[in-house]
Amino acid sequence: MVINMNTKYFRNLEIVGVFLVFGLAPLLHFIYDLTDGSVFSILFGAINESVWENTKIFLIAYAIWALIELLVSNVYFKPFVVGKVLSLYFLGAFIIVFHYLFALIFGKSIVWIDVTIGFLGVLLSLLMSYKLVVGDKDLKPYFVPSLFLLGLFLVGYFSFSVFPPHIELFRDETTGFYGILPDYADQSETVLNNL
């Protein structure tokens, strides 16, 4: 599927991507606090400690790297999009499922386990996208469904921080609130107890 491109070059881009995505995610985790809640940080950073917001930072870092890869590599566009969209969904599912699995096993979330899950998710997602993009399987028929999934992802991604559904995935694990935390959230535990 790769046209006029060194497969080794694309493989190296994916390897570099593991470290860049994993390195960008922590920055995106703290950007909301560092910028005092700027609109940019609401869209691209973690606005609370919910599972969704901690997954979101890996997803946007992954998407940013995919865009950079598309610009600097010479691959067929359609298979590239299909491979990246499928691996993006895989990354989100991997992080969410394993976060809840380990939280169930240990009775709570543990930061170093969540960080390890994020790293493994990024590694496996980039490996998956590499295999799909350079593989022999014809991915062109999946291009339109992938565009639909990408659009669905973007709508959800940009709306869930501001208008989160009131389900466990979007609940801040430290405060119990959903979405952007109100100013009074850190005033006292009595506020939480009265909700």
Side-chain angles (χ1 to χ4, degrees):
M1 277 303 159
V2 180
I3 185 170
N4 295 330
M5 188 191 89
N6 184 340
T7 304
K8 185 177 178 183
Y9 174 72
F10 186 67
R11 184 198 69 207
N12 291 341
L13 283 175
E14 297 288 68
I15 292 169
V16 169
V18 172
F19 299 101
L20 288 179
V21 170
F22 189 71
L24 182 57
L27 173 65
L28 294 174
H29 185 272
F30 297 108
I31 199 166
Y32 180 75
D33 292 332
L34 293 172
T35 63
D36 292 328
S38 72
V39 173
F40 171 82
S41 68
I42 291 170
L43 297 176
F44 297 102
I47 61 168
N48 63 33
E49 290 299 325
S50 68
V51 175
W52 166 251
E53 292 295 323
N54 284 311
T55 303
K56 181 177 98 168
I57 59 175
F58 284 100
L59 296 175
I60 195 63
Y62 188 84
I64 289 168
W65 180 246
L67 185 59
I68 292 169
E69 278 185 306
L70 183 60
L71 296 174
V72 300
S73 63
N74 188 15
V75 293
Y76 279 126
F77 179 72
K78 290 180 180 182
F80 181 85
V81 170
V82 172
K84 289 300 178 179
V85 169
L86 291 177
S87 60
L88 180 72
Y89 271 84
F90 171 82
L91 175 60
F94 183 90
I95 292 172
I96 291 167
V97 166
F98 280 97
H99 168 81
Y100 283 119
L101 179 67
F102 281 103
L104 182 66
I105 290 169
F106 294 108
K108 63 179 182 174
S109 13
I110 300 170
V111 174
W112 72 266
I113 290 177
D114 287 339
V115 170
T116 303
I117 290 168
F119 181 78
L120 288 174
V122 169
L123 178 67
L124 292 173
S125 295
L126 286 165
L127 177 62
M128 177 183 179
S129 72
Y130 172 76
K131 293 288 188 182
L132 287 169
V133 172
V134 302
D136 293 336
K137 186 157 176 60
D138 182 18
L139 298 178
K140 291 177 193 168
Y142 305 106
F143 179 68
V144 173
S146 292
L147 288 180
F148 173 77
L149 287 173
L150 182 59
L152 188 64
F153 167 76
L154 292 172
V155 167
Y157 179 89
F158 287 115
S159 63
F160 287 155
S161 292
V162 182
F163 306 108
H166 283 221
I167 59 174
E168 186 64 23
L169 179 65
F170 300 96
R171 188 180 65 79
D172 185 311
E173 292 184 343
T174 58
T175 66
F177 285 101
Y178 296 88
I180 299 171
L181 299 176
D183 292 335
Y184 61 82
D186 61 349
Q187 289 179 357
S188 73
E189 281 191 38
T190 13
V191 173
L192 294 176
N193 294 333
N194 292 328
L195 293 176

